[in-house]
Amino acid sequence: ALFKDDLECQKLILEAMKYHLLPERRTLMQSPRTKPRKSTVGTLYAVGGMDNNKGATTIEKYDLRTNIWIQAGMMNGRRLQFGVAVIDDKLFVIGGRDGLKTLNTVECYNPKTKAWTVLPPMSTHRHGLGVTVLEGPIYAVGGHDGWSYLNTVERWDPQSHQWTFVASMSIARSTVGVAALNGKLYSVGGRDGSSCLSSMEYYDPHTNKWNMCAPMCKRRGGVGVATCDGFLYAVGGHDAPASNHCSRLLDYVERYDPKTDTWTMVAPLSMPRDAVGVCLLGDKLYAVGGYDGQTYLNTMESYDPQTNEWTQMASLNIGRAGACIIVIKQP
């Protein structure tokens, strides 16, 4: 009875009911009212990375509503080239190196209590590994153990609290980008000891096999990877032969379509970013920090797939390369 005289209001309520009760028709019902609200998309976290201090020990978080980065916690000591995954709104910090030692350790950070707990270590010491969650478990992919480049892959089962090996990749990859898409784990670029790689392969957990995909247009180590709207994006990175330390740093961005197994170049970053952190927040990709050849960058830009444009956003408090960038739904 509250809205009986307000036709506009009744229309909006009906529209909302249909949207929620008919999920199969949602693609036809898109409007500004169905866009994710800034308060619901979660909070971006930047964990560790290389800074002017030989390694960032802070964790920062970014709030889309206020467009600012604030300090959110401290790391346990310095770590570089580790991986991070999120389960149940907690951060899992996996592998990496502290100073000269490559680590197999796993620590869990609870942003609510700011407490760290230690979890069982991986079987293999790994830095430059790729980490992602696929259908529940966490995967730790490739990397370098201090002596050699790795093609091995371990999986953490959150129920049994154990690491087990799964099938190895066909190519050893360090500074590799990984992402989950359509129930598969994609392993993108990286370095194999002699060069940077353009190849990509995917892991199917149901067959426990790796399969090669079409290669990227550009070879990339230190590549940032994220998925959006059924596509996979490869962002920035470097291309250098092992014998030659002056890397070409990349501002290139390309997009992979798994339906056609093809890559397409899209709009480049505003600057080259090696060891860039990339993440989906809401309906945009965010590229955070990295190294431009001179500086550990504190800048962040966001990519809108609808307009194919990058936009400068708020800057980090600390310039960081190789920081892990992830989203926690409940900040």
Side-chain angles (χ1 to χ4, degrees), residues 104-313:
N104 63 351
T105 52
V106 181
E107 293 176 87
C108 179
Y109 179 69
N110 182 337
K112 285 203 178 72
T113 61
K114 303 207 169 172
W116 287 91
T117 48
V118 175
L119 295 171
M122 296 182 287
S123 302
T124 311
H125 297 249
R126 306 173 185 266
H127 70 258
L129 70 164
V131 167
T132 193
V133 174
L134 174 63
E135 296 178 345
I138 298 173
Y139 288 78
V141 178
H144 194 280
D145 64 8
W147 288 274
S148 49
Y149 290 81
L150 303 170
N151 67 351
T152 58
V153 182
E154 301 182 51
R155 176 166 68 197
W156 164 261
D157 180 339
Q159 263 68 57
S160 68
H161 267 231
Q162 278 177 334
W163 287 97
T164 48
F165 282 100
V166 297
S168 293
M169 294 182 288
S170 61
I171 298 171
R173 301 171 187 270
S174 184
T175 71
V176 57
V178 298
L181 179 63
N182 302 338
K184 298 181 175 64
L185 188 161
Y186 286 83
S187 202
V188 185
R191 311 180 58 99
D192 69 355
S194 54
S195 61
C196 292
L197 303 165
S198 60
S199 61
M200 174 168 82
E201 47 192 309
Y202 74 83
Y203 174 77
D204 183 336
H206 302 288
T207 60
N208 188 33
K209 283 196 171 67
W210 287 89
N211 303 277
M212 295 307 291
C213 308
M216 293 182 284
C217 312
K218 302 287 175 194
R219 302 191 306 186
R220 302 167 185 265
V223 59
V225 174
T227 59
C228 178
D229 290 336
F231 296 101
L232 183 143
Y233 290 81
V235 179
H238 68 269
D239 180 9
S243 57
N244 169 2
H245 286 292
C246 52
S247 310
R248 270 227 334 267
L249 303 189
L250 306 178
D251 60 2
Y252 301 121
V253 181
E254 43 191 311
R255 179 179 73 199
Y256 177 75
D257 183 347
K259 289 190 193 70
T260 57
D261 187 32
T262 52
W263 289 93
T264 313
M265 298 299 278
V266 297
L269 294 160
S270 67
M271 61 186 79
R273 296 177 186 268
D274 183 20
V276 60
V278 181
C279 196
L280 178 69
L281 180 64
D283 52 3
K284 296 187 176 64
L285 292 178
Y286 286 74
V288 184
Y291 183 67
D292 68 358
Q294 263 82 51
T295 314
Y296 300 116
L297 300 168
N298 67 349
T299 55
M300 170 168 80
E301 44 193 309
S302 74
Y303 176 77
D304 183 338
Q306 304 299 298
T307 61
N308 187 33
E309 283 175 339
W310 289 92
T311 307
Q312 287 297 321
M313 304 296 287

